[in-house]
Amino acid sequence: MFSIDQEDPIPLRELDNGNEPLLPSQYDSQSSQSYDYVLVADIIRETNDQTFKKQDAYIRNLKQKNIKVTIIEYMEKVFYGICAPEEIFAKYKYLLKVSDACNWSGQQTCLSFSTRIRIVHFVIHNTFIETGESLEELLAQGVFESIFCLHEENKQKELKKKWASWSAVFTLFKQPISHVKDYFGEKVALYYLWLGWYTRMLIPAAFIGIVVFLYGIAFFNTSPLIKEVCHSNIIMCPRCDKRCHVWNLSDTCTYAKVSQLFDNEGTVAFAMFMAIWATLFLELWKRHRALFVSKWNVFDWCEDEEELILEIVNDPRCKPKVFRHSYLRTTMVLLLVTLVLVVIIGLTHALVICRILAGIVLSESEWHFLRDHASTIAMLIGAVLHYFTIQVMTKVNRFVALKLCSLEKTRSMAATERSFTVKMFTFQFFTLFSSLFYVAFYLGRINGYPGNYVRIASKWRLEECHPSGCLTDLFIQMSVILVLKQTINNIFEFAVPWLKLCFKRLKADTIEECQDNGGNINSCDPSNLRNWLDNYHLNDVNCFSLFNEFLEMVIQFSFTTIFVAAFPLAPLLALINNIFEIRLDAIKMVSLERRLVPKKTNDIGVWTRILEVVGVMAVIANGLVIGITSDFIPRLVYRYYYGPCANGTSANLDCMTGYINGTLATAYMSDVNVQKDFLIKQMTTENGINVTHCSYRDYRNDVDQSLTPQFWLILAFRFAFVILFEHVVVLCKFVAAWFIPDSPINVKNIRLEDRLRRLKEELRSEK
């Protein structure tokens, strides 16, 4: 091992953010954290090798920018310690001061270490060799193995103690956000600020969801609908071909009780509440964000101007990257996105076919239990298959989204990130929700009726809704996906990096100690080498590290708001998950992974727009679930038009008495078409009694199977309810958005006073 060009350490700049600094503001004179970055490559002895030439050319170009480079060779690896000169930061501070968009404070004279890292990151990633290749391309070619910025040991320990530990679970709403900002930058800090706010806002949503759930339990024994199902003698038609027999409606007594938990009058109010809750969450988040970005002096931060400042710092002779737009490329990308969505929807159809085939196989099983619960088990199998499809398609969607972004040739990395975010979320949303949309709005509505069943390839009957109602299928699908996704993802998200780190450290423990190389000064610097190796062995991070966390949480937000009418406990599951998610992400980011490159921003970016779109979709989806999928409207129509209370003369009967019987139609075996669908042996009960007719759920005439006037009346009320529900909730959302200002009054006043002070200072400086 040898060391050359060892440089003096650079002092750490004091953090000036209006708070007490987390740790002392000066570096120790021998601290390895005087280095901004460490670049790692394989040692190549052949000087004529192209890889060696590229390594040498890149390091030479770094030195031409007055960047100091310390080289340490160890165990067939070469480590380049990169330390930027003070002149780079002086230029940045001056340009930032004269920029109106960056809200520079006249009292601020030093840059935080995270800001230094961000500046150096831009400079070294925009350093090119003679062939025009950047560091990103050299990393992709294997010229260099990796590059990482170093964790600050003392601050890392402090964050572990106060934030990135399981004991911090009890201080859920007291995250040290400003310290996180100082260490990881504004972008990471805003993610945890948003996640903490989202988790806090889930508390009232989870509470109301539990109340709705308990409301359903309270009517278990008194609901006339449950009593009618449990005490019914109605014979229902076979649910599949060949092996399925007729069955008693009373067999679904348990499922009828379960459906009461989420298909009741409280569900409507809860769906309206969640739609308005989504708007309140976003509007209050904007106010919460404004408090912190104003405190951090980035309220008026401008991404384009920040980019220009960094370009000038890197190269004073630079030219701006001009905006370009190609209608041909945009059209091509739009067509390709549409093609991908068609493929994803095609996968949904494949899952439907898998469920149908699973149901057929289970219904023909020799096991009595499998035959009796074939539809439920098939739905569970479909939900599990859907989960694994999501896992596979996540990788495919990422690859496709990156390729589409490369076709667009965006102007900057930030523009690429926005474009990628929109595409990736769109693909993931269709992957996750296409199957749910099918279950919610198509399942059981296009399968036909006895004597006229719709079949795939004229052979397999389309699946029907669960005997207790279509909402039960949606409930099963959502609960399985949500529980599996949150539980398994969290286990793998933490366990895999932890196991990788343990394995790397186990190997590192066997590394030989550093040997002196015959008198070179600092040739064996344990402060540098040990710290570099500790950071090198941590799990790698990339530009997707924070994106993955955001995507996971926004998808969860979608599950929490869209179709919440079918699963009132979704906010509760999300709340429990997020309490641990914050700690898992913090521990992983501070202890298990290399330090993320700090990025400056004043908002969560395009995710705000995505959340707003999800909020609007939640209104539409929940309105359709209540109006079309649930039995809320049919029950309402029966109560006031067809039930015992319709004419106001019933005194002793419940208004819903006879409702179940009113939702059933009858098929007779004397009908030739019915004989084609059902075999004679299928019309035999478990007691061996042959039946001549059976019932099925639909509003049809018993004679000619035509739709009854009740069906058309219910359909009219369904559409009327959906339109009314959506208009009322959307109006409430707009009123809530108008009523709550995006910025608190004190923030506006502070910014106004700051601008006045700056103008006065400029006027005095002119005199």
Side-chain angles (χ1 to χ4, degrees), residues 393-463:
M393 285 303 297
T394 297
K395 300 183 183 298
V396 175
N397 291 341
R398 175 169 296 172
F399 175 80
V400 173
L402 283 172
K403 289 297 182 182
L404 292 176
C405 288
S406 65
L407 285 176
E408 287 181 316
K409 292 187 176 180
T410 49
R411 175 178 168 274
S412 63
M413 184 60 192
T416 303
E417 186 177 353
R418 285 193 296 270
S419 177
F420 174 80
T421 298
V422 173
K423 292 180 179 62
M424 186 65 183
F425 175 79
T426 303
F427 295 158
Q428 285 296 93
F429 183 86
F430 272 77
T431 302
L432 269 75
F433 285 90
S434 292
S435 182
L436 294 178
F437 273 96
Y438 166 78
V439 172
F441 306 125
Y442 293 98
L443 178 63
R445 291 170 179 79
I446 57 175
N447 61 307
Y449 54 90
N452 190 27
Y453 280 122
V454 177
R455 298 176 181 272
I456 298 176
S458 302
K459 185 176 181 181
W460 302 310
R461 265 174 60 180
L462 286 182
E463 56 187 340

Side-chain angles (χ1 to χ4, degrees), residues 188-242:
V188 172
L190 282 172
Y191 163 71
Y192 284 103
L193 184 68
W194 175 84
L195 182 55
W197 183 253
Y198 169 46
T199 305
R200 184 182 303 182
M201 289 291 290
L202 279 172
I203 294 175
F207 176 76
I208 301 297
I210 294 172
V211 170
V212 172
F213 187 78
L214 294 177
Y215 174 83
I217 293 178
F219 290 94
F220 256 16
N221 298 322
T222 59
S223 172
L225 303 181
I226 294 177
K227 289 181 179 179
E228 189 173 351
V229 171
C230 294
H231 300 132
S232 175
N233 294 319
I234 297 175
I235 302 298
M236 303 296 291
C237 293
R239 286 175 283 190
C240 66
D241 297 328
K242 298 180 181 178

Side-chain angles (χ1 to χ4, degrees), residues 348-360 378 381-382 385 463:
T348 303
H349 292 160
L351 287 173
V352 171
I353 294 174
C354 286
R355 273 204 305 268
I356 293 171
L357 295 177
I360 293 172
I381 292 172
L385 284 175
E463 56 187 340

Side-chain angles (χ1 to χ4, degrees), residues 626-628 630-638 714 717-718 721:
I626 296 170
I628 305 298
S630 76
D631 287 338
F632 174 73
I633 297 300
R635 291 171 186 171
L636 210 61
V637 171
Y638 182 83
I714 290 173
F717 273 100
R718 285 185 189 274
F721 171 82

Side-chain angles (χ1 to χ4, degrees), residues 313-345:
V313 167
N314 180 54
D315 182 9
R317 297 167 297 179
C318 69
K319 294 181 180 179
K321 296 177 182 178
V322 296
F323 292 94
R324 290 188 177 92
H325 180 74
S326 171
Y327 287 101
L328 178 61
R329 288 183 181 277
T330 304
T331 304
M332 185 186 304
V333 170
L334 185 61
L335 291 174
L336 291 174
V337 168
T338 305
L339 178 62
V340 174
L341 296 181
V342 169
V343 172
I344 293 173
I345 294 173

